[in-house]
Amino acid sequence: MKKRLGIGFLFLVLLCGCRRYDRTDMSATMPAPVVVRPGESEESEEETLEQVTVEATEPETEAPEPVRVPTKVKGIYLSAYVAGTESMINSIIEQIDRTEINAVVIDVKDDNGRITFRMNTPMVQEIGAVNVFIPDIQGLMKKLKDHNIYTIARIVAFRDPYLPEQKPELALKLADGTIYRDNKGLAWVNPYKKEAWDYLVEVGIGAHDIGFDEVQFDYIRFSTEKGINDVVYDEADTKGRSKTQIIAEFMEYAYERLSQEGVYVAADVFGAIIGGGVDSENVGQSYEEMARHLDYICPMIYPSHYGDGNFGIEHPDTQPYDTILAALQGSRKVLDSESGEHAVVRPWLQDFTASYLEHYIQYGDEQVRAEIQAVYDAGYDEWILWSAACRYHWGALRTWEEAEKEAPRIAESQAEVQRTRQETTEEDEGISLKDAEISFKRPAA
């Protein structure tokens, strides 16, 4: 296969319900279904016969492999509601055109398990998963492409409260056979069920067919909320495989299927799993193993998601530069020790204020830019901003012209990281993470 490739944190995640960030619940009306049934087309019978005759007389040739052209992403997240509301998306595109942003991540299969535009694939139709937030998906894709914006389809995987209600056999279950529900009363999909894998791949292919350049899976993990230890798993499903093993197997399976279609494959992961440990075992995410089966791995390293004392930082949310730098130095330490190819690291950065914390700061232009600078100083050059409300601090972003002028300095910083890493490796292969960290000056306030 060719690829491009704290317990304190866990407590905080459990306290917050193991969510990225709350989003406003919105409703949409489902439009009339498309009348063309599977296998039918608008061609006449004569046209179809003529096409078959021509194809039969042509020599058989192998279909060329899809060509995938990588893009260095500087992106933002957009909910399907925002993406599907013309006035909102037009306003955001105006801002994108003035800045270095070149990509958007859009909900295709959302946190409610619903497909956000009309998608006529078998299982989507079977369970009635469509709930239209984007009424004109073709028009949206054309508009984004006209502005040279790279498009990423966010597909929420195993935290799916809709699919288990339609197909209970795919749900996580308790010993008495009832469906496990999290703190919000929502069901989760059992990651050991291959039928669920095929459904996610189906949605990914459907997103690519409509024009998305990349598929990004989110919630590729097990629930960690109250009652999860009471869930029982059938040995016929598990076959002795651990949580981390089955999540890695799903990633490998999805990558093989989707990359053959010419789509890039990414996955969001908890920042706390970098380096393994209890967090990795509980959620089922192994950073280094997942990175072997992806084009992009996207650690969610929001400073607000780290408990007090992580990385030796008293209150991580109050020191965005230091927290992002330390998290990504950990990423480099883990992946650089692995042999073979691995995914490109593209972190999620915080563009929201975590006022629910006891110790927090207001996030604005300065804080967001400090996070971006930390990405560069850690030797990486891609990132995505997360705001559940899709309200971004555009003042933190460079213009295209400014970004071009900044590029040589970033390249120099990355080269210095590589030189330091090489020197460190030569001196001591068993050096500790703490000793391997590279010192950089913080950006001026």
Side-chain angles (χ1 to χ4, degrees):
M1 176 178 64
K2 186 173 182 179
K3 305 181 291 295
R4 285 190 335 138
L5 285 189
I7 295 178
F9 174 86
L10 181 59
F11 172 77
L12 187 61
V13 169
L14 291 169
L15 183 65
C16 298
C18 214
R19 295 170 283 114
R20 294 184 70 133
Y21 199 61
D22 274 336
R23 63 192 69 229
T24 304
D25 186 25
M26 301 173 181
S27 60
T29 303
M30 174 110 98
V34 177
V35 296
V36 179
R37 297 179 177 81
E40 291 185 347
S41 71
E42 296 178 0
E43 297 175 344
S44 69
E45 186 175 338
E46 290 181 356
E47 289 172 331
T48 303
L49 179 60
E50 180 181 357
Q51 181 181 0
V52 171
T53 303
V54 170
E55 289 177 350
T57 59
E58 292 177 348
E60 292 185 4
T61 58
E62 292 186 5
E65 290 187 5
V67 177
R68 305 192 304 166
V69 180
T71 296
K72 287 189 177 182
V73 162
K74 300 177 181 180
I76 58 173
Y77 160 77
L78 298 179
S79 69
Y81 175 79
V82 169
T85 302
E86 188 172 7
S87 59
M88 292 182 177
I89 191 63
N90 287 344
S91 176
I92 285 173
I93 288 176
E94 287 179 9
Q95 294 285 2
I96 289 175
D97 286 344
R98 290 195 285 263
T99 68
E100 61 191 313
I101 295 295
N102 66 347
V104 291
V105 180
I106 299 175
D107 283 335
V108 168
K109 180 173 178 284
D110 65 17
D111 295 69
N112 296 313
R114 307 306 292 271
I115 308 302
T116 60
F117 54 84
R118 289 185 292 276
M119 183 182 291
N120 300 312
T121 59
M123 195 163 168
V124 168
Q125 291 296 301
E126 178 188 345
I127 66 174
V130 172
N131 189 17
V132 174
F133 282 89
I134 307 175
D136 182 12
I137 185 63
Q138 289 88 357
L140 172 64
M141 298 308 294
K142 182 180 185 304
K143 182 180 296 184
L144 294 171
K145 295 304 179 185
D146 286 347
H147 289 261
N148 297 314
I149 298 172
Y150 184 80
T151 52
I152 304 172
R154 178 176 178 254
I155 297 177
V156 177
F158 301 121
R159 184 184 184 271
D160 182 337
Y162 187 77
L163 178 60
E165 304 295 349
Q166 311 307 311
K167 287 181 171 287
E169 67 274 16
L170 300 182
L172 289 178
K173 291 185 179 179
L174 304 175
D176 62 2
T178 59
I179 293 177
Y180 159 80
R181 298 183 186 278
D182 64 18
N183 296 340
K184 282 191 166 184
L186 303 178
W188 282 63
V189 172
N190 185 347
Y192 285 101
K193 297 291 187 180
K194 187 174 177 297
E195 186 179 355
W197 299 8
D198 289 329
Y199 177 48
L200 293 169
V201 169
E202 174 186 307
V203 174
I205 293 174
H208 181 57
D209 287 345
I210 210 71
F212 280 92
D213 301 299
E214 180 178 321
V215 165
Q216 183 188 89
F217 291 107
D218 199 0
Y219 285 94
I220 322 169
R221 63 175 179 84
F222 288 78
S223 172
T224 57
E225 297 184 19
K226 183 179 179 181
I228 190 62
N229 291 333
D230 297 324
V231 169
V232 295
Y233 301 95
D234 191 331
E235 176 59 29
D237 293 327
T238 64
K239 298 176 183 176
R241 294 168 294 180
S242 68
K243 289 181 177 180
T244 53
Q245 285 175 326
I246 201 63
I247 294 299
E249 283 189 26
F250 162 70
M251 274 318 353
E252 182 175 15
Y253 180 82
Y255 181 86
E256 291 285 359
R257 296 282 302 279
L258 290 168
S259 61
Q260 291 174 6
E261 299 291 328
V263 60
Y264 281 109
V265 184
D268 302 335
V269 298
F270 277 144
I273 69 163
I274 298 173
V278 64
D279 296 317
S280 179
E281 295 167 5
N282 278 300
V283 300
Q285 293 179 343
S286 167
Y287 193 65
E288 54 268 42
E289 186 61 35
M290 292 177 72
R292 294 190 184 103
H293 309 298
L294 291 164
D295 293 305
Y296 302 95
I297 190 163
C298 306
M300 299 177 287
I301 52 174
Y302 314 124
S304 62
H305 279 31
Y306 290 98
D308 292 348
N310 268 269
F311 309 118
I313 301 171
E314 186 176 10
H315 307 303
D317 186 67
T318 67
Q319 296 179 231
Y321 175 86
D322 295 330
T323 302
I324 297 299
L325 181 62
L328 290 179
Q329 286 173 336
S331 167
R332 183 167 292 283
K333 171 67 176 178
V334 169
L335 295 183
D336 283 356
S337 67
E338 295 291 311
S339 60
E341 297 180 344
H342 60 71
V344 170
V345 175
R346 183 200 291 154
W348 280 97
L349 305 179
Q350 176 174 328
D351 196 355
F352 59 88
T353 296
S355 56
Y356 50 84
L357 295 176
E358 181 180 0
H359 302 285
Y360 72 95
I361 60 172
Q362 195 76 25
Y363 272 60
D365 293 347
E366 179 185 341
Q367 290 70 30
V368 172
R369 194 67 213 177
E371 292 181 287
I372 294 170
Q373 185 61 48
V375 173
Y376 298 149
D377 288 349
Y380 296 117
D381 54 10
E382 299 191 38
W383 43 266
I384 318 174
L385 302 181
W386 174 270
S387 166
C390 304
R391 291 193 289 268
Y392 294 98
H393 290 92
W394 299 102
L397 304 173
R398 304 286 192 241
T399 65
W400 276 105
E401 293 77 14
E402 291 169 341
E404 287 181 357
K405 291 179 181 179
E406 186 183 41
R409 187 181 62 77
I410 294 172
E412 182 180 348
S413 175
Q414 292 171 338
E416 178 60 28
V417 171
Q418 293 294 338
R419 284 193 297 271
T420 304
R421 180 182 64 82
Q422 183 63 34
E423 291 170 2
T424 300
T425 302
E426 291 174 354
E427 289 175 3
D428 184 2
E429 290 291 338
I431 196 166
S432 67
L433 174 60
K434 179 179 178 181
D435 292 336
E437 289 177 354
I438 302 160
S439 297
F440 289 90
K441 292 181 180 180
R442 295 188 63 185

